[in-house]
Amino acid sequence: QLQLVESGGGLVQAGGSLRLSCVASGFTLEHYSIAWFRQAPGKEREGVSCISSNDGTTYYADSVRGRFTISRDNPKSTVYLQMNSLKPEDTASYYCALNGVCRRTVVARPYEYDYWGRGTQVTVSS
């Protein structure tokens, strides 16, 4: 069964940290580029970070660069998003997705990804 499951979200104060995990079942993770998206209420889903399949190049949205770090552990079929120095504007539901393309400017486009997790909520209080 093909499945992506996110975890690690929660409530944190501004300036705090969280580490999100995305476990992939039924996939050989090393074959896929993986992206993290987020969506806040009333806003479009946006690409936050992406890690490519071929050489592990990482991509970040300008709003998170320097604060977030994406990484992958292929034997564990897990992708992580380490989020530091969190801000209230980072509050959103976070989703992992795969089988798309990492892009330098927009990071990732939702419609290019075939497989999605159900998301994990991140809330940052001021």
Side-chain angles (χ1 to χ4, degrees):
Q1 182 180 1
L2 303 176
Q3 191 176 21
L4 299 174
V5 179
E6 304 95 336
S7 63
L11 174 64
V12 64
Q13 288 188 332
S17 298
L18 287 172
R19 187 176 80 157
L20 305 185
S21 299
C22 172
V23 178
S25 302
F27 299 96
T28 303
L29 196 64
E30 61 195 71
H31 295 165
Y32 297 94
S33 295
I34 310 290
W36 283 97
F37 293 83
R38 68 184 180 187
Q39 188 167 20
K43 294 189 177 181
E44 293 186 354
R45 190 167 295 190
E46 63 171 342
V48 172
S49 184
C50 192
I51 184 165
S52 66
S53 59
N54 51 358
D55 59 3
T57 300
T58 56
Y59 302 80
Y60 298 95
D62 289 342
S63 57
V64 306
R65 187 176 292 111
R67 300 187 298 120
F68 290 13
T69 303
I70 190 171
S71 61
R72 62 196 299 162
D73 186 335
N74 290 333
K76 291 186 178 180
S77 293
T78 303
V79 177
Y80 303 99
L81 186 68
Q82 177 67 43
M83 306 187 297
N84 299 329
S85 302
L86 283 162
K87 304 175 181 180
E89 51 263 43
D90 295 319
T91 295
S93 294
Y94 283 72
Y95 303 86
C96 62
L98 58 69
N99 203 31
V101 178
C102 295
R103 297 186 177 277
R104 188 172 303 278
T105 53
V106 299
V107 178
R109 296 185 174 123
Y111 59 83
E112 294 180 340
Y113 284 74
D114 297 325
Y115 301 99
W116 291 82
R118 293 188 175 184
T120 185
Q121 177 67 35
V122 172
T123 303
V124 184
S125 63
S126 57

